[in-house]
Amino acid sequence: MPHLQEILPKLVSSLAARSDRGSVATYIPELAKVDPTKFGIAVATLAGSVVAAGNADELFSIQSISKVFTLALALGKCGDMLWTRVGREPSGNRFNSIVQLEYEKGVPRNPFVNAGALVVTDSLLAGHEPREVIGEILRFVRFLADDDTISVNRAVAASEQSTASRNMALAHYMHSFGNLQHAPQRVLGTYVHHCAIDMNCRQLAAAGLFLAAGGRNPLTGHSVISPLRARRINALMLTCGHYDASGDFAFRVGIPSKSGVGGGILGIVPGVASVAVWSPGLDSSGNSHLGTIALEELVQAMDWSVFAPRAHA
Ligand code: GLN
């Protein structure tokens, strides 16, 4: 097997030379300030090593990648009842689309589009105040990454909150169908805070490793979720993790993964590794442009596609 220690620095230098970097998200003003030339990558393996290159120690806004962590928490809390409120199908629409919600009576297609993630956040609020739930999500992410320094970037949360009309509209719309049990303002406030968690590539790769290892983090030995639940979250990441570009991502890369508008992508290679990549410029679907290319090249070099006809060891 080729060595990650050689592949990752090569990837960093070949991508640094590219002029097509996509565009940083501007609808959250704080994210528009991020330097588009940044690029980081880290791979955490089941064998216990973490290999990183580029700006892998710099913090970025994980945004929608947090939806993977809130989904794992919500399933722990509500079990399969959650699936009565949110579907498990790719949407074929943009991450913040409202159009499907009317046809489907306020039940979002999947937990990774914004509407679905708002339902997941609403389910976490049952019996709790928003600040308690934000604390619970943060503690869970710190536990997964085994790193207590991880925190919420208040400036990013406030910035999103001030421009969140569309997400607010989604929340109100679902509330009108009775599919939000808390006031839209409280759900949205909790949601923007979990999206505003800052992490670096090393922390994110470590935090995702439980999904590559049947629900147990091999770095810490902690059991997080059952093997069946890990498998199912991976299935949703593969089919829905990149919104309306999920099919294209499966075609080009071929591993479960979740993107965020901060330019991060968390990719899972079941049985082998977890990969975090960060490049702030986005493509037209709102996924990291160079991050996708980096994963495409890495998975190709390592023969890590889940569709490859052999054991991934
Ligand atoms: N917080 C962002 C939003 O709701 C997350 C979107 C994303 O990362 N795709 O718009």
Side-chain angles (χ1 to χ4, degrees):
M1 183 155 77
H3 288 298
L4 286 169
Q5 286 86 347
E6 290 156 25
I7 292 177
L8 297 193
K10 277 193 199 149
L11 258 182
V12 169
S13 48
S14 77
L15 292 178
R18 291 182 72 129
S19 54
D20 59 322
R21 309 194 75 86
S23 335
V24 297
T26 51
Y27 76 100
I28 299 175
E30 210 50 33
L31 295 184
K33 298 179 185 165
V34 177
D35 177 356
T37 65
K38 296 288 181 186
F39 180 89
I41 187 162
V43 179
T45 67
L46 262 67
S49 63
V50 180
V51 184
N55 307 116
D57 293 303
E58 264 186 61
L59 296 175
F60 62 90
S61 191
I62 67 168
Q63 291 296 318
S64 285
I65 302 169
S66 63
K67 296 170 182 173
V68 174
F69 305 129
T70 53
L71 175 62
L73 263 184
L75 286 170
K77 204 162 172 164
C78 320
D80 286 343
M81 281 298 286
L82 187 68
W83 303 122
T84 60
R85 301 177 60 193
V86 59
R88 304 189 293 251
E89 292 294 346
S91 67
N93 282 311
R94 278 188 73 72
F95 65 90
N96 56 5
S97 168
I98 199 164
V99 66
Q100 224 155 20
L101 272 183
E102 179 161 23
Y103 292 121
E104 298 178 2
K105 303 196 169 26
V107 177
R109 273 287 171 106
N110 66 66
F112 294 149
V113 290
N114 286 7
L118 287 164
V119 169
V120 169
T121 304
D122 183 66
S123 76
L124 291 173
L125 278 167
H128 298 284
E129 290 299 315
R131 71 181 149 68
E132 293 169 341
V133 174
I134 296 163
E136 184 189 8
I137 298 167
L138 189 58
R139 277 192 301 281
F140 183 57
V141 172
R142 287 175 171 174
F143 161 77
L144 292 176
D146 197 24
D147 189 332
D148 282 342
T149 66
I150 294 169
S151 52
V152 172
N153 185 323
R154 305 260 159 210
V156 172
S159 176
E160 178 167 5
Q161 186 104 47
S162 68
T163 57
S165 302
R166 186 182 284 248
N167 282 332
M168 198 54 152
L170 291 170
H172 275 287
Y173 201 56
M174 291 188 291
H175 196 255
S176 77
F177 282 102
N179 199 18
L180 275 201
Q181 287 158 5
H182 301 86
Q185 192 68 45
R186 290 163 84 80
V187 179
L188 193 83
T190 311
Y191 169 86
V192 298
H193 281 82
H194 72 64
C195 286
I197 292 173
D198 271 348
M199 291 173 88
N200 64 34
C201 290
R202 280 181 197 274
Q203 292 167 331
L204 188 57
L209 199 53
F210 75 103
L211 289 169
R216 182 177 164 276
N217 182 339
L219 299 179
T220 60
H222 293 143
S223 274
V224 183
I225 55 176
S226 71
L228 176 64
R229 202 158 269 169
R231 200 182 83 194
R232 288 175 164 177
I233 294 176
N234 285 336
L236 289 167
M237 289 171 78
L238 185 85
T239 52
C240 313
H242 287 248
Y243 315 112
D244 47 333
S246 298
D248 191 58
F249 192 89
F251 179 88
R252 286 170 57 192
V253 184
I255 58 171
S257 49
K258 182 74 207 80
S259 63
V261 289
I265 304 177
L266 171 64
I268 305 300
V269 189
V272 182
S274 157
V275 185
V277 61
W278 171 52
S279 172
L282 307 178
D283 62 22
S284 58
S285 300
N287 302 310
S288 173
H289 176 66
L290 290 188
T292 303
I293 293 171
L295 285 173
E296 195 174 7
E297 292 184 6
L298 176 66
V299 167
Q300 178 73 25
M302 302 300 289
D303 201 12
W304 274 349
S305 164
V306 296
F307 301 107
R310 53 180 201 76
H312 306 289

